DNA sequence: GTGTTTGTTATCAA
DNA sequence: CTTGATAACAAACA
């Protein structure tokens, strides 16, 4: 499940590899699309890759036009140099046969292929087809961001007082409030559970019931955990891979997510799993109150 | 066949 | 207009 750290890892990987490369062709294999990708992008290049929350924004050399990519649940963006075989999505093996089978692209989940003039390729894969690729102009992009996204948690505009005010006027539980991209952009199910564990706050607490000290702990935990997760190249729980098809390393650092019935790393109690805000939710009944 | 997985949006209710 | 609760989407896996 790509959340902010995973999307940021992909952004950095792709920025280092494909910036300013000329696009030879765009093949759309299966997707609901806005606009004609090939006609709009052929002969152009991407001059900058930005991110808002979990949304990737490819600035094109055609002034005022942007390609947006949302990975949603199972999307992947994998960039391969000419003749390179992806290493993503299968067990590590030195056998070239398995490597070729497991990593061969395109595969049946490939929806879009962008080929550059140096024969390198960018693959958009998505098993569950929730993700999208679309072209928008600057006005549409700005409208979309203003409507759907709160502050970036790792930027200075993420302000504790504003965050606290937002939480104070919501009656929903804190888990739902943090999943809301307008509260703060980029958290998803995994990192919300991790943040609330780090802050010692139960996910079912009404947002408006939180004390300032608790909100401050959550605020700090968001910054700390996201920063650390980016450093470890994200969490691979099912489908996520980075911009070259490799898994993330933060999975082993998770303290509650996916650890149902296992021992709490702090107190040894069994981690509880339940459903809150319609999502699988993990917490420690002893350390979080 | 059933339940579970989740980012986001649609839909409905208040 | 807002807020909140829930279903829906889609496909794989246990």
């Amino acid at each position: 499940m790509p959340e902010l750290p995973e999307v940021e890892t992909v952004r950095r990987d792709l920025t280092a590899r494909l910036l300013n490369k000329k696009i030879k062709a765009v093949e759309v294999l299966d997707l609901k699309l806005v606009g004609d990708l090939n006609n709009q992008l052929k002969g152009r290049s991407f001059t900058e890759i930005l991110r808002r929350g979990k949304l990737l924004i490819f600035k094109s050399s055609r002034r005022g036009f942007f390609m947006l990519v949302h990975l949603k649940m199972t999307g992947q963006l994998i960039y391969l140099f000419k003749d390179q075989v992806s290493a993503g999505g299968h067990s590590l093996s030195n056998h070239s046969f398995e490597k070729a089978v497991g990593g061969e692209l395109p595969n049946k989940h490939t929806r879009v292929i962008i080929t550059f003039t140096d024969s390198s390729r960018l693959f958009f894969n998505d098993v569950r087809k929730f993700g999208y690729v679309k072209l928008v102009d600057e006005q549409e992009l700005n409208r979309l961001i203003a409507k759907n996204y709160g502050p970036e948690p790792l930027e200075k505009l993420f302000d504790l007082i504003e965050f606290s005010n937002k939480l104070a006027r919501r009656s929903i539980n804190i888990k739902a409030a943090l999943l809301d991209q307008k509260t703060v952009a980029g958290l998803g199910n995994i990192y919300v559970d991790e943040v609330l564990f780090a802050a010692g706050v139960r996910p079912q607490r009404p947002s408006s019931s939180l004390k300032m000290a608790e909100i401050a702990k959550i605020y700090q935990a968001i910054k700390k955990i996201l920063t650390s997760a980016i450093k470890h190249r994200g969490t691979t729980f099912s489908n996520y891979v980075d911009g070259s098809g490799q898994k993330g390393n933060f999975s082993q650092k998770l303290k509650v997510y996916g650890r149902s019935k296992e021992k709490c790393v702090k107190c040894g109690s069994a981690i509880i799993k339940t459903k809150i805000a319609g999502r699988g939710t993990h917490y420690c009944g002893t350390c979080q109150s």
Side-chain angles (χ1 to χ4, degrees), chain A residues 26 28 33-41 135:
Chain A
V26 183
V28 178
L33 280 175
V34 178
D36 180 341
L37 279 183
N38 189 47
N39 269 336
Q40 306 263 19
L41 293 174
L135 287 166

Side-chain angles (χ1 to χ4, degrees), chain A residues 3 54 175 179 187-194 257 276 279-282:
Chain A
E3 304 178 28
K54 303 166 194 168
K175 167 128 187 178
L179 283 172
L187 295 176
N189 203 35
I190 296 174
Y191 293 107
V192 166
D193 281 5
E194 294 298 311
Y257 186 88
I276 298 173
R279 298 292 174 241
T281 300
H282 315 69

Side-chain angles (χ1 to χ4, degrees), chain A residues 9-25:
Chain A
T9 300
V10 170
R11 188 193 72 77
R12 291 179 186 185
D13 288 351
L14 298 183
T15 296
R17 289 168 172 81
L18 62 72
L19 226 53
N20 299 315
K21 288 193 176 177
K22 190 169 174 181
I23 296 165
K24 191 154 87 181

Side-chain angles (χ1 to χ4, degrees), chain A residues 141-154:
Chain A
L141 175 64
N142 290 334
R143 194 194 64 81
L144 205 138
I145 289 173
K147 177 169 170 275
N148 297 311
Y149 294 93
E152 281 294 318
L154 301 180

Side-chain angles (χ1 to χ4, degrees), chain A residues 116-162:
Chain A
F116 297 90
T117 53
D118 66 354
S119 295
S120 61
R121 293 160 299 168
L122 179 64
F123 296 90
F124 174 68
N125 304 324
D126 189 11
V127 171
R128 287 168 60 179
K129 302 193 215 180
F130 277 22
Y132 63 77
V133 177
K134 66 178 179 182
L135 287 166
V136 296
D137 61 25
E138 194 154 16
Q139 187 184 9
E140 173 69 4
L141 175 64
N142 290 334
R143 194 194 64 81
L144 205 138
I145 289 173
K147 177 169 170 275
N148 297 311
Y149 294 93
E152 281 294 318
L154 301 180
E155 288 178 8
K156 285 194 175 149
L157 284 173
F158 182 41
D159 179 68
L160 175 59
I161 302 304
E162 201 179 311

Side-chain angles (χ1 to χ4, degrees), chain A residues 177-276:
Chain A
L178 293 177
L179 283 172
D180 184 345
Q181 301 298 294
K182 278 172 274 192
T183 306
V184 54
L187 295 176
N189 203 35
I190 296 174
Y191 293 107
V192 166
D193 281 5
E194 294 298 311
V195 162
L196 290 175
F197 174 77
V201 174
R202 284 201 189 209
Q204 50 276 79
R205 287 272 302 280
S207 176
S208 56
S209 78
L210 297 181
K211 308 283 179 239
M212 189 60 198
E214 293 173 318
I215 293 174
K217 276 186 189 171
I218 292 172
Y219 173 84
Q220 293 301 340
I222 288 172
K223 300 213 271 192
K224 186 179 165 188
I225 289 171
L226 294 182
T227 300
S228 173
I230 291 170
K231 189 178 150 198
H232 291 91
R233 307 190 56 77
T235 301
T236 295
F237 212 80
S238 52
N239 286 257
Y240 167 73
V241 291
D242 68 18
S244 57
Q246 306 285 335
K247 295 179 178 183
N249 305 314
F250 197 72
S251 319
Q252 62 215 58
K253 306 269 180 187
L254 297 177
K255 295 188 165 55
V256 287
Y257 186 88
R259 297 195 65 245
S260 175
K261 294 176 184 169
E262 291 179 37
K263 285 183 175 175
C264 170
V265 295
K266 276 199 228 167
C267 77
S269 316
I271 297 299
I272 298 165
K273 182 178 180 187
T274 181
K275 188 169 267 197
I276 298 173

